[in-house]
Amino acid sequence: MTMKKSLIIIIIISIFLMLFPPMMVDFSRKDKVSGLDVVEINQLLNEIEKSKSHVVSKASGPYSFDYTILDAKENVLYSSSPEKAQTIISATRDRETIREIFVEDEFFGWLIIHNDIINLEKKVNQYYAKIYVISYIAVMVLWIGYAVWIYQNVIRPFDKMRDFAGAVAAGDLDKPLEMDRKNVFGAFTESFDIMRDELAIARKREYEANISKRELVAQLSHDIKTPVASIKAMSELLEAKSEQSNDDFTSSKIKSIGAKADQIDALVNNLFASTLKELEQLEVKAIEMESTEIKALIENADYASRVVYSEIPECLISMDRLRAGQVFSNIIYNSYKYADTDIILTSKTDEEYLYVSLADKGGGVPEEDLPFIMEKFRRGSNAEGIEGSGLGLNISRNLMQDMQGVIVCENADGGFKVTVGFRLT
């Protein structure tokens, strides 16, 4: 049964229950007010007419009602209940039953039948009130039952569907929607669950497609590294020969080829590392090492010899030598590309970390770009026209986090400063 049909039936029953008390009271009133025994009244009149006088003893009954006999002048000839009405006016006022008495076709007087209408009215009103109370209680019980039915079959299923929709929106596609065809939304339940299944399948396909794309990028990045290494090796060989032949023009072009090869190699390395990180295949194994290893890593990355060194405190740190080398390479390469100034190295320790800072004098980045400078594919707005992928600092941040270290970027002393912190052991 649909909710609309149920509501119509409830309304019809309620209207009937509201109209039932007046009808029952009306029938009850007619029955009780007209409840006098007409046969007894006629029997009493016959006795009075036969006696041709007022002599109607109590033994002539017994009658189920009280009565009073008046002559034509309204004198009381007999009354079975003296406290009742004794005149025609008072009997009319009390709504008693009044019958005329004729003896041999001559008017003799009046017979007043005492109805006890006041008590009767009280009884009728009490009966009327009881029926109304019962009817109202029945209507209330009916509507309370309907409200419970609405809660069970409409509100609760709707809450379940709302929670289900919230879970789907939040990405939880594993929990099925409980099916119940009895409630109002039963016809939609299966459709929503089918939608969840289709979304789960679509998400799985999207994930698999993204994995395939990343694997393809990783494979291409790896394959590109081999010809780039060959180009770098051949450029170094040609550069040495051109220097022997004193051909400055050829030597400068070959140096340019080598620099471009280095640039391509750095971009490919970043792309390869970023892809491996997304595939969760980029291994980081931090072990206990001496801080003196850091200088060698920086010297290896500083192929243009722009770093101005200061003493690094000797201590034991947690570090992955290969990944730390990538971090310093990215920082120094960015400084070459965007600042092209000397790089000042400073260091210090606290209770938890050894901090190594590399700062250039290239003017830094706009302050509004600093909070996002380590996000993937994000670069400062002042980098327009300079080649770059926006991956270097993002990869460096991920690598430092995997080594349980920290990295901070800031503008300082007219340039851009990057500080990496290695955890002390």
Side-chain angles (χ1 to χ4, degrees):
M1 184 182 296
T2 64
M3 186 170 64
K4 185 176 180 180
K5 290 182 180 179
S6 301
L7 181 60
I8 293 174
I9 292 175
I10 294 295
I11 292 174
I12 292 174
I13 294 176
S14 300
I15 292 174
F16 173 77
L17 289 175
M18 295 300 292
L19 294 177
F20 179 71
M23 292 188 296
M24 289 299 297
V25 170
D26 188 51
F27 292 145
S28 174
R29 184 188 297 274
K30 289 179 180 179
D31 176 67
K32 292 185 180 297
V33 173
S34 60
L36 294 173
D37 192 339
V38 177
V39 176
E40 281 188 295
I41 294 175
N42 290 333
Q43 181 180 352
L44 177 59
L45 285 172
N46 288 332
E47 288 185 19
I48 294 172
E49 290 173 355
K50 288 178 182 179
S51 67
K52 299 181 181 179
S53 70
H54 64 279
V55 182
V56 180
S57 67
K58 295 180 181 179
S60 63
Y63 297 102
S64 61
F65 51 83
D66 291 325
Y67 60 91
T68 298
I69 301 174
L70 302 178
D71 61 13
K73 295 182 179 180
E74 294 191 32
N75 296 316
V76 178
L77 302 178
Y78 174 80
S79 178
S80 63
S81 181
E83 68 274 8
K84 300 291 184 178
Q86 303 295 311
T87 64
I88 296 299
I89 294 176
S90 60
T92 303
R93 181 194 61 203
D94 293 341
R95 291 179 287 176
E96 309 281 20
T97 301
I98 301 173
R99 298 286 296 272
E100 292 180 342
I101 302 173
F102 291 91
V103 176
E104 295 180 354
D105 296 330
E106 291 184 6
F107 178 72
F108 177 77
W110 291 272
L111 173 63
I112 301 174
I113 308 298
H114 302 298
N115 298 322
D116 198 14
I117 192 67
I118 296 176
N119 290 331
L120 180 62
E121 286 291 339
K122 289 181 179 179
K123 291 180 180 179
V124 170
N125 290 335
Q126 291 174 355
Y127 183 69
Y128 183 88
K130 287 180 182 179
I131 292 179
Y132 257 110
V133 169
I134 293 172
S135 297
Y136 282 129
I137 291 174
V139 171
M140 290 178 63
V141 170
L142 185 66
W143 280 101
I144 291 173
Y146 184 67
V148 172
W149 182 87
I150 288 290
Y151 176 77
Q152 293 288 341
N153 293 275
V154 178
I155 298 176
R156 285 186 61 186
F158 183 80
D159 288 340
K160 287 183 179 179
M161 291 180 67
R162 182 186 60 189
D163 295 340
F164 172 77
V168 170
D172 183 7
L173 301 178
D174 296 326
K175 184 179 179 181
L177 178 62
E178 296 180 5
M179 297 185 182
D180 186 1
R181 298 181 180 276
K182 295 180 181 180
N183 62 59
V184 176
F185 302 102
F188 304 100
T189 304
E190 188 174 359
S191 299
F192 273 91
D193 207 51
I194 292 174
M195 177 192 70
R196 178 191 62 83
D197 288 336
E198 292 298 323
L199 287 174
I201 293 172
R203 173 176 288 184
K204 183 179 179 181
R205 289 174 180 170
E206 180 184 7
Y207 174 77
E208 292 174 349
N210 288 333
I211 291 295
S212 297
K213 290 177 182 178
R214 293 187 183 112
E215 289 176 347
L216 178 61
V217 171
Q219 183 178 353
L220 290 174
S221 300
H222 183 270
D223 292 342
I224 291 172
K225 291 174 69 67
T226 300
V228 169
S230 299
I231 293 172
K232 289 175 65 177
M234 287 186 289
S235 66
E236 290 172 359
L237 178 61
L238 291 173
E239 184 180 354
K241 288 185 177 182
S242 64
E243 288 178 353
Q244 291 176 359
S245 62
N246 296 321
D247 188 348
D248 294 336
F249 177 78
T250 302
S251 178
S252 64
K253 295 300 181 184
I254 293 173
K255 286 182 180 179
S256 178
I257 292 173
K260 293 296 182 183
D262 288 335
Q263 185 178 1
I264 294 172
D265 188 52
L267 292 173
V268 170
N269 284 336
N270 283 342
L271 185 60
F272 186 60
S274 177
T275 305
L276 289 180
K277 180 67 178 178
E278 291 179 349
L279 291 172
E280 298 182 351
Q281 295 178 4
L282 185 63
E283 294 184 1
V284 177
K285 296 181 179 179
I287 60 175
E288 186 178 81
M289 300 183 69
E290 293 183 0
S291 60
T292 53
E293 296 285 341
I294 293 176
K295 185 175 180 180
L297 296 177
I298 295 175
E299 288 176 343
N300 186 57
D302 182 27
Y303 60 85
S305 301
R306 293 288 185 89
V307 177
V308 178
Y309 294 91
S310 63
E311 186 177 353
I312 299 175
E314 294 186 7
C315 54
L316 294 177
I317 59 175
S318 177
M319 184 176 70
D320 183 320
R321 182 182 179 88
L322 175 61
R323 303 310 175 192
Q326 286 182 257
V327 171
F328 287 122
S329 293
N330 285 330
I331 296 171
I332 293 172
Y333 178 73
N334 279 347
S335 181
Y336 287 174
K337 183 167 55 175
Y338 297 112
D340 195 25
T341 67
D342 288 340
I343 304 170
I344 309 301
L345 184 149
T346 57
S347 58
K348 65 178 181 178
T349 60
D350 63 11
E351 295 180 355
E352 294 186 64
Y353 294 97
L354 165 64
Y355 297 100
V356 178
S357 301
L358 295 169
D360 58 44
K361 300 295 182 180
V365 300
E367 289 293 333
E368 62 271 14
D369 294 334
L370 274 177
F372 314 103
I373 199 67
M374 286 190 287
E375 299 297 326
K376 186 181 293 185
F377 306 120
R378 294 293 293 269
R379 298 198 296 165
S381 57
N382 59 344
E384 186 176 354
I386 302 175
E387 294 183 2
S389 60
L391 289 173
L393 289 176
N394 176 261
I395 294 172
S396 299
R397 180 183 65 178
N398 293 335
L399 293 176
M400 291 305 300
Q401 288 175 349
D402 290 342
M403 286 187 282
Q404 296 184 337
V406 295
I407 181 170
V408 178
C409 296
E410 58 186 327
N411 290 321
D413 300 327
F416 187 65
K417 180 179 178 181
V418 180
T419 300
V420 294
F422 296 96
R423 184 174 291 275
L424 299 177
T425 59

